Amino acid sequence: MEQQLREQFDGLLEKYTELLLGESDDDKKEKVKMWALYSYISKTMPALAKHWNEEYPEGKEGIKQVVSEIKQLNEQHRRNSGKS
């Protein structure tokens, strides 16, 4: 993949993370990436997500923690910025 595209996409992910959570760092960007991709997979290929959840229950718990953290940080950001 072209380096320029990677850098441009990283900028998009960074801005998305900032708008979603109020701030962006490498850890938050990685969690947002995991959350977005897992959400997409679970909606477009639910059987695959179900199989993965059954195959890797510890991974399922990890994803649940990431989703919960993203939701909590987003709600906190929305409250702090005066949006509901």
Side-chain angles (χ1 to χ4, degrees):
M1 188 180 312
E2 190 177 318
Q3 182 63 26
Q4 183 179 7
L5 176 58
R6 288 177 192 263
E7 291 170 4
Q8 291 170 346
F9 190 80
D10 186 64
L12 176 65
L13 180 60
E14 185 166 345
K15 188 63 177 176
Y16 182 69
T17 302
E18 182 183 323
L19 292 171
L20 187 68
L21 306 179
E23 61 184 5
S24 179
D25 58 41
D26 288 342
D27 184 56
K28 286 182 177 63
K29 285 191 322 188
E30 189 62 28
K31 288 178 181 179
V32 166
K33 191 184 331 179
M34 288 178 67
W35 163 74
L37 185 56
Y38 183 83
S39 295
Y40 183 78
I41 290 170
S42 68
K43 289 177 184 166
T44 60
M45 294 188 172
L48 175 61
K50 182 180 181 202
H51 172 74
W52 186 83
N53 291 340
E54 291 169 354
E55 188 74 20
Y56 301 103
E58 69 284 349
K60 176 183 176 183
E61 289 305 311
I63 289 292
K64 285 171 62 175
Q65 289 175 355
V66 168
V67 169
S68 177
E69 182 179 349
I70 297 288
K71 182 178 178 183
Q72 178 185 12
L73 289 170
N74 176 255
E75 289 172 355
Q76 180 181 351
H77 172 59
R78 291 171 62 123
R79 279 193 306 272
N80 292 342
S81 65
K83 299 175 185 172
S84 49

